[in-house]
Every structure is written in C-alpha cells, then in structure tokens.
Amino acid sequence: MRWSRSLIATLRDDPQEAEIVSHKLMVRAGLIRKLSGGLYTFMPLGLRALHKVSQIIREEMDRAGAQEILMPALQPAELWERSGRLATMGPGMFRLKDRAERLMALGPTHEEVVTELLAGEVNSYRQLPCTVYQIQTKFRDEIRPRFGLMRAKEFIMKDAYSFDTSLEAADASYQAMYDAYVRIFTRCGLDARPVEADTGDIGGKWSHEFMVLADSGEDGIVDCPACGYAANQERAERAAAGGSLPGGCPLEAAAIPAATTTCAPLAEVATPGARTIDDLVAFFTCGADRFIKTLIYLVDGKPVAALVPGNRDLNEHKFKRLLGAKKVELADEATIQKVTGAPVGFAGPVGLKIPTYADQGLKGASDFITGANKADTHLIHVDLARDTSVTAFEDLIVVRAGDACPRCGKVLQLKRGIEVGHVFKLGTKYTESFEAKYLNDKGQSELMVMGCYGIGVTRTLQAVIEQSHDANGIIWPVSVAPFAVTLLLLDPKDPTVCAVVDTLEKALQEQGVDVLVDDREERPGVKFKDADLIGCPIRVVAGAKGLAKGGVEIKLRTSKDFDLVPVEHAADTLTALIRKLTASLNT
RNA sequence: CGGAGCGUAGCGCAGCCUGGUAGCGCGUUUGGUUCGGGACCAAAAGGUCGAGGGUUCAACUCCCUCCGCUCCGACCA
C-alpha cells in the first residue's frame, strides 16, 4: 500500500478525548476515529491489525476443533425471556421493536441463540462433543463507555460455545479452549495470565479470566507470588486470619488482648453525628480496625445484615454467591430505619432480628465498637459471641494486598489487569431453559452440558498497544502489526530510489509480506516520526544517501541501530527477519 | 443515575471574569528556499463560537433550558 494514496492520518497532538496511552496512540496513529461515545470507526491501519488478531483467533479455534458459524446480531427478545435474562441483563441490552411491534434485542452475547440452535441440530451423542464459535459485533449499552475500545457500546467479540454429554467431557472442552486461549494471546505478543474469576450474570459454576497486566486495567487481580494463586478481586478469597485479631477497646489504651480476657460489659457511648467510620476514627481516636461495620442489604428484596471489620470492604460478588441470591443491593434509608430503628450510620448487630452474616475475620471478635441501633449512639465492648446471634461466619470482604493466600498462606499482592478473555463452565443452565437434549447410547434423553468462551477482539487489539509502546508510539508485535514492514521512500523525486522501492515492494508482495510504502512528499524527519508512531516492526529506509553507501537500511522498531543491506538481498533478509520475529511469538 | 469539567476552523487550544470587528499553533492549498529525526519565508482557503430561548442598542462573553463529550462515583453506615 502507498501511504500517499491511503487514509492514514497521523496526529501530532494527543486527542482531547483520550485518557490512557493506548487510546491516545490508536487515535494519533490513525487506527480509529470516534463517531460518538463508545462507537468507533476502524480506519485502514486499525482494521488491518484487527483482522490479524481475528485471524490468529480463527486459526487457534479451528486447531482446537471448534467450527466457525455466524449468528444474527438481531434477536427476538422472546429468546431472552426463556432463559430469564431479559430481566437480569436488564438495561445493559439494546432493545428495539420491529414494525410488528415485536420486541427485539441487539445481541450482547449469544448463549440463547446458540443453545436454541444446537437444541435443534443435535439429536445423538454421536454428534457430541461440539464446539462452535463466531467473530461478531456485540452490542452492550454500557453504563459508562471508557478508554476507546476498552469498553465500547459496540465491539467485536469472539464467542465460542461447547456442548458435551457429561461434566467430565465438558471439562475436556473447557481445557481445549483454555489451552487455545493461552496460544492466542501468546501469538498476539501479549503477556496475559489466567486468573480465577466470578461468573456474573452469565451464570455457571467456574470460570477463568485472561488478564493483561496494566495499570490502566479496570479489574483488580489478586496474586500470590509464592504458589501462583491468581484471582479477580471480585472472586479472590483469603485465608482466615486465625487469632491475630486486633482486640482491645481504644477507650482503654492499656487493654489486654481480647483473646485472653473476658470482655467488659456492653456500654453505650453518645456519638452525635458520627455516622461513618472516618467520623468514628476521629471521635474515638483509634484505628478503623476497632470497629465492626454493620451493612444492611436487600437480598432479593429481604433485609440481611453483613458485618465486616471497620477497615475492610464487603465484596458484594462474594456475598451474592454465598447467599445464592439474584440481586444484592444496599438497603435504602427507610428499610434501614425500619430494621435497625435508627437512622443510617448507627446500625449494629446487637439485637438485630434479621439474618446476620459476619466476615470470617470477626470470628471470636471481642471488645469491638459497633452502632447501637439508636440515633447518635454506639456500643463499646461488643463481643460477637456473647452479645449477638450471627447466622454464619464467612469470607465476605474484598481481598487486598497483604492478606494471606487461601492456598499457601503467604502474602498476596494486588495488581491491575485488562480482561481480554473469559472461559466459563456453564453446566446445564441454558440447556435446561431450551431443552437442549440428545439421546445417549442407551436411547435415553439427556441435557447437554455447556461451556462458553469469549475474547474481546477489539479490546485485545488495544491491550496489545497498552502493553507494547514507547514514548514515540506503538511497538507492534509482528503477528498483529497492520504491516510487517514500512518502507520509507526518502527521495520520491529521485528515479533511482523510486525504482529500488518499486522493485523491493513488488518482491515483498510476491512473498506475501505486508508492506506500507511511505511515498509522501515529506521531509525525512516526518517519515521517521510517523514510522515510529504507527509502530510497524520493521523499518526499511531507501534513500539516495543509503544507496550510495551500498543499499537500504533495515531497522527493527525495538532497536536503535540499522543494518545496511544491498538492494538485491533486501527482500530475502526481510522475509527471514519476519520469520524469526514470528517464530519468537509462537508457542 | 449522582458529582465535576469541557464544547470556539480538520486537530490541539486562547478569548469569556470586566459584552462592542473571532484569534493562535498544527494541518490543508499555492509559490519560493530547503531536504536523513516533526524546516523556513510569503500568500490563501477554512468558523451560523454545541442547540434553543432570555437580558441588552449590542452576546463567543451574562442568565435559563436542552444536547453532546470526558473524568470520578454509583456500596461503606
């Protein structure tokens, strides 16, 4: 491709719309242009890179035995009613009506469509296992589209679905996809690591997310350097603290650790206006860990209390899973008033008449401070065992750096990551709704066991840039680069140089090498800057000066120095170099 | 949905407080000098100042409403 004839426009300034580096670079290098919030056009350069990612995914899916299909993005809402997700996906789904007033949805994902499809196509165990996939545009009415392609309203996703005869067989399908994912991200030049994850609204029992480590990532990742345990913060567990609880009432500075003494009797303290932990820390002049926070939740509409240490946060995902609930939300003021008999800010576990779950770290908790269920009042010397009736002690809080690993007990770290892929074991959640059954070898009808597997294709592309760039621009891995080679024609008016470039371009094209020829009437400096910005892995400079010295200059985006290569050897040198670069990414 | 900020030429921004001829840099076009890491000189094109309403002799500027974009939050008692 000739630059002078293409729609490649680079920008000198960072776009005002972008916050994170990969987003800025995508716009500056002319890969994408914004239409509106969360909606982007792929420009020629961006689309080429996107196709490279798609093709890698396609090859690895095919290798893993999955078959490519293409399902409609426009779907009847009735399908979603059958699975019950019309309600749970709620406002996240784009809905519209056709001219017959039938409610339709723009597919945010395809479990319903594919299960309906396979329920019709598969009759016998002989047809199983079966894994299908598609690469397609998805639509989600995101609360807050962000960071360019990272969280968009319309994006491209690879979604795959496996169907098996048994849980064990489904495990094998899951493993095949898991392995394929590892290969895909490796081939994309990404350092992506699998972590245990929550399953969310999609349902199912178990899942792994593939995370690209990046400070700009939207997810927290808990990670144990000692044993390799890694989990999304939403799911991450921690080992029980085991008797190392801080006890002692801060009003009695010399208090003996609670475990070895009996707790003083309950006492009320007037705490006017002290509603938050911060207020209380100031009031009692002690650490937040001396308090027990009492959170009143509505769990599927019923009030439930959760007790967590004052310095910790409740993990709603864990709480929801623990209770097997569909919906967990903080109770409104009226409910809190009704349940506790006090305004918001003074709830406590003593005397509460609703189910009360406490974090496992509070087991044996003695001599803590809690709300008194009475306006402007807190209780001191609270002993959970003596003074309250806790329904159960469970792991309820958001794990953070410094907590103990649930596997080995060593100290956990916290990092941030971009979720580029997610693999789920769904079980029979959807096959039940759609009666997706087959006949087994004894002629009996059984439900198929499902798995589903997603990769955010557009997000993966941006994650590559987020992870691979420098101050001058993008550094593409050869596998996803829009062009393997940028060939800079430094003297477009010099017929000799032009002839060399023409010949080299042709030779490369014949060998299947993607080459972008910068034939613009620009000064060399502009071309060098732009070549760095768009970040193709190999730069070839053809100029009168170089030719006089014996050839063209070949330089990697990642290195400072170039090699002067005679023109007649240039094409071979380049193809060998590309082979080497590609090989370094293959598993 | 709550909070904050922003909307002026293709892009990045100033002007607004204190109302009175719409500006700068980049980019674009033309001519010239340049030519190996974002050149220089000269000329030119390009804007109903997000939209609507109000105040005023006069509104980019002040007031109101709406729309769009970006960021933070949407759970901490």
Side-chain angles (χ1 to χ4, degrees):
Chain A
M1 187 188 277
R2 295 271 162 157
W3 193 317
S4 66
R5 303 299 314 144
S6 71
L7 260 187
I8 306 173
T10 56
L11 267 38
R12 212 181 271 229
D13 299 313
D14 281 338
Q16 174 256 5
E17 76 195 52
E19 191 68 17
I20 64 173
V21 62
S22 53
H23 186 192
K24 289 177 180 170
L25 286 174
M26 291 195 86
V27 177
R28 280 192 59 206
L31 306 186
I32 57 170
R33 289 289 183 257
K34 184 172 77 175
L35 172 66
S36 165
L39 299 173
Y40 291 86
T41 296
F42 275 85
M43 301 301 281
L45 224 44
L47 188 60
R48 290 185 72 100
L50 184 66
H51 283 156
K52 295 282 177 78
V53 176
S54 302
Q55 190 51 31
I56 289 172
I57 292 172
R58 199 167 267 129
E59 286 169 17
E60 294 301 333
M61 283 293 115
D62 291 346
R63 187 209 294 265
Q67 301 171 68
E68 186 169 10
I69 61 174
L70 185 58
M71 294 178 271
L74 185 63
Q75 310 169 4
E78 181 264 338
L79 269 184
W80 291 79
E81 264 162 28
R82 269 206 264 167
S83 69
R85 281 210 291 181
L86 194 61
T88 53
M89 286 295 262
M93 210 154 61
F94 281 105
R95 297 152 192 241
L96 62 161
K97 284 184 177 167
D98 68 9
R99 63 173 72 203
E101 291 291 300
R102 186 162 72 136
L103 187 61
M104 312 289 284
L106 290 176
T109 173
H110 277 68
E111 281 77 18
E112 282 77 2
V113 177
V114 78
T115 311
E116 163 85 359
L117 175 76
L118 272 283
E121 298 299 318
V122 173
N123 307 305
S124 156
Y125 73 96
R126 293 178 200 275
Q127 293 168 277
L128 298 175
C130 178
T131 299
V132 293
Y133 76 97
Q134 63 175 347
I135 295 175
Q136 189 208 37
T137 301
K138 297 283 188 272
F139 300 87
R140 293 188 187 172
D141 196 357
E142 291 287 348
I143 298 175
R144 182 140 93 87
R146 238 198 288 224
F147 303 149
L149 305 179
M150 285 297 181
R151 185 166 294 279
K153 287 186 174 171
E154 180 182 323
F155 61 98
I156 296 173
M157 178 167 162
K158 185 284 305 177
D159 45 325
Y161 306 90
S162 65
F163 295 83
D164 280 283
T165 56
S166 67
L167 283 172
E168 298 74 50
D171 283 347
S173 295
Y174 183 91
Q175 190 62 42
M177 285 295 118
Y178 183 104
D179 294 343
Y181 276 34
V182 171
R183 295 181 58 91
I184 287 166
F185 295 122
T186 305
R187 284 185 61 187
C188 288
L190 272 176
D191 178 16
R193 59 176 303 182
V195 307
E196 293 177 16
D198 198 52
T199 52
D201 277 337
I202 208 161
K205 295 203 159 59
W206 194 252
S207 77
H208 284 92
E209 286 168 346
F210 285 77
M211 289 287 190
V212 172
L213 295 183
D215 291 339
S216 61
E218 293 189 276
D219 293 284
I221 302 167
V222 170
D223 160 83
C224 175
C227 73
Y229 171 78
N232 190 308
Q233 200 172 16
E234 289 177 354
R235 160 171 269 273
E237 298 165 0
R238 75 196 204 285
S244 61
L245 275 172
C249 174
L251 284 183
E252 297 160 7
I256 310 156
T260 60
T261 184
T262 32
C263 185
L266 279 177
E268 286 188 359
V269 175
T271 54
R275 291 160 183 272
T276 67
I277 290 293
D278 284 347
D279 294 342
L280 291 168
V281 164
F283 184 88
F284 285 99
T285 60
C286 66
D289 54 357
R290 302 299 177 87
F291 303 93
I292 295 175
K293 273 196 285 201
T294 306
L295 307 169
I296 309 298
Y297 270 87
L298 281 175
V299 176
D300 293 335
K302 298 213 170 98
V304 174
L307 308 183
V308 302
N311 59 343
R312 301 302 296 255
D313 297 328
L314 181 89
N315 182 330
E316 284 188 0
H317 299 277
K318 281 192 204 173
F319 197 41
K320 188 171 163 186
R321 202 174 331 122
L322 169 73
L323 301 174
K326 283 203 171 62
K327 192 171 182 195
V328 165
E329 58 186 338
L330 272 183
D332 54 283
E333 261 177 63
T335 306
I336 292 171
Q337 184 93 33
K338 203 173 117 202
V339 169
T340 68
V344 174
F346 301 97
V350 180
L352 263 194
K353 296 203 167 49
I354 55 175
T356 302
Y357 293 84
D359 181 69
Q360 64 187 19
L362 291 172
K363 207 164 192 173
S366 182
D367 209 358
F368 273 71
I369 304 172
T370 74
N373 297 327
K374 188 169 157 189
D376 295 332
T377 311
H378 279 77
L379 292 174
I380 59 172
H381 305 310
V382 174
D383 183 301
L384 280 190
R386 183 190 67 190
D387 305 321
T388 72
S389 50
V390 168
T391 314
F393 288 90
E394 301 284 353
D395 180 23
L396 294 183
I397 65 179
V398 177
V399 172
R400 64 187 182 194
D403 283 345
C405 173
R407 300 279 163 77
C408 74
K410 298 268 170 49
V411 176
L412 290 168
Q413 294 180 346
L414 186 60
K415 294 170 178 166
R416 300 209 62 82
I418 300 163
E419 179 192 349
V420 287
H422 204 157
V423 291
F424 295 85
K425 291 182 191 178
L426 289 175
T428 55
K429 178 180 158 85
Y430 295 95
T431 49
E432 268 168 36
S433 307
F434 289 89
E435 294 187 40
K437 294 179 177 172
Y438 66 96
L439 288 180
N440 68 15
D441 57 358
K442 297 181 184 64
Q444 297 155 331
S445 189
E446 284 191 49
L447 285 174
M448 291 187 269
V449 180
M450 259 180 95
C452 76
Y453 318 93
I455 291 179
V457 183
T458 39
R459 184 185 281 181
T460 298
L461 182 67
Q462 190 170 340
V464 170
I465 298 171
E466 190 67 25
Q467 202 171 66
S468 182
H469 65 268
D470 65 14
N472 293 318
I474 302 169
I475 303 176
W476 288 112
V478 69
S479 53
V480 296
F483 293 93
V485 175
T486 31
L487 174 50
L488 307 193
L489 169 54
L490 285 200
D491 305 285
K493 289 195 176 126
D494 181 330
T496 319
V497 185
C498 286
V500 165
V501 166
D502 285 347
T503 313
L504 184 53
E505 182 188 22
K506 204 165 285 172
L508 288 172
Q509 282 170 343
E510 273 166 18
Q511 303 203 45
V513 174
D514 296 325
V515 53
L516 174 65
V517 178
D518 189 350
D519 59 341
R520 295 174 300 170
E521 305 249 349
E522 290 287 353
R523 292 162 63 86
V526 174
K527 298 188 180 184
F528 291 138
K529 284 285 181 191
D530 273 343
D532 284 347
L533 178 59
I534 67 171
C536 297
I538 304 172
R539 189 187 82 187
V540 182
V541 174
K545 283 192 185 173
L547 290 177
K549 275 188 254 169
V552 294
E553 296 154 21
I554 296 179
K555 176 187 154 320
L556 292 178
R557 176 66 177 82
T558 49
S559 77
K560 278 190 84 138
D561 307 313
F562 62 82
D563 289 326
L564 194 66
V565 177
V567 174
E568 59 272 26
H569 296 145
D572 290 341
T573 307
L574 287 168
T575 47
L577 197 51
I578 291 165
R579 252 199 308 278
K580 203 174 116 198
L581 289 174
T582 307
S584 71
L585 291 169
N586 283 349
T587 45

